[in-house]
Structure formats: structure tokens, C-alpha cells
Amino acid sequence: MIDSTHPAIAARAQALGTVEQIFAFVRDEIRYDFTPLLEDRASWLASATLERKRGFCQQKAVLFCALARAAGI
């Protein structure tokens, strides 16, 4: 689920740079959604959450981890 090598994840991680900026991005720019549509396993991918711009706690955590890994943190 932590697809840190996905091009969109790598590009966003590079643009953000620091762990503080990554944290703030996931906290502030990815809307918390209690009832996200999870049609299949691919819905859990970090890149899917980044594209959707919303998710619940587990999806936001997966996105945070993917961005941090892509940034070398």
C-alpha cells in the first residue's frame, strides 16, 4: 500500500522536502473522510489517496509513510 516509488508520490515528496512539510501537507491538504469509497484493494494505495485528496486515518498514514520514504526519511 505504501507505493513510495509511484511517480506522483515521488514528485510530491520532492516538492515538499522535509518531514514537517510532509506532515503539514497530509494533515491540511488531504481531507479527513469518515466514509471513503473503497471499491478495491487499490483504493488503499498512497497514490490513490493523493489523487483523491481525501481519506481516513489509515489511508492518511499510508500516504504520510509513502511520502516520507520517497523523500528519504
Side-chain angles (χ1 to χ4, degrees), residues 1-56:
M1 300 299 99
I2 302 173
D3 56 344
S4 58
T5 59
H6 187 280
I9 296 289
R12 179 63 68 163
Q14 184 177 16
L16 293 168
T18 68
V19 70
E20 292 85 5
Q21 290 172 315
I22 292 169
F23 175 82
F25 171 77
V26 173
R27 181 193 65 201
D28 300 339
E29 303 298 326
I30 304 299
R31 191 182 79 201
Y32 191 87
D33 184 352
F34 281 104
T35 58
L37 183 59
L38 303 172
E39 295 176 341
D40 54 25
R41 194 159 165 80
S43 299
W44 289 82
L45 290 170
S47 56
T49 302
L50 179 63
E51 181 179 329
R52 198 172 39 249
K53 295 184 171 82
R54 61 185 169 80
F56 65 105

